[in-house]
Amino acid sequence: MYLNGQMIYDDRHFQDHMFSQVPIQIYCGRSHSDIGFIEYYGKEFVQVNNIFYSRKQFTFVSRPGY
């Protein structure tokens, strides 16, 4: 299980969150960008709320229980 606030970055992390429907929070630098459930992930992007976020540009954080 993932801790609240734990950074996720590996394909396995994204797969776990998508399969288990654990929400994630997305940051651009220190600014909050979005929060929601992973709809799709690939090598370059993660889709949340019908928006594709670059895995290189954004930081993804686990938010279980949100």
Side-chain angles (χ1 to χ4, degrees), residues 7-61:
M7 288 182 52
I8 59 173
Y9 50 85
D10 190 66
D11 283 346
R12 181 176 49 88
H13 301 159
F14 292 111
Q15 181 179 7
D16 289 347
H17 280 72
M18 187 170 78
F19 180 75
S20 300
Q21 288 293 293
V22 176
I24 64 168
Q25 192 165 6
I26 303 165
Y27 290 92
C28 184
R30 295 178 148 244
S31 298
H32 166 80
S33 295
D34 204 353
I35 192 165
F37 299 98
I38 298 174
E39 300 161 356
Y40 168 83
Y41 74 93
K43 287 186 176 191
E44 301 290 325
F45 297 96
V46 175
Q47 183 181 3
V48 175
N49 298 325
N50 292 320
I51 300 170
F52 287 90
Y53 294 95
S54 169
R55 288 176 63 169
K56 293 180 182 177
Q57 182 179 356
F58 292 89
T59 303
F60 304 92
V61 177

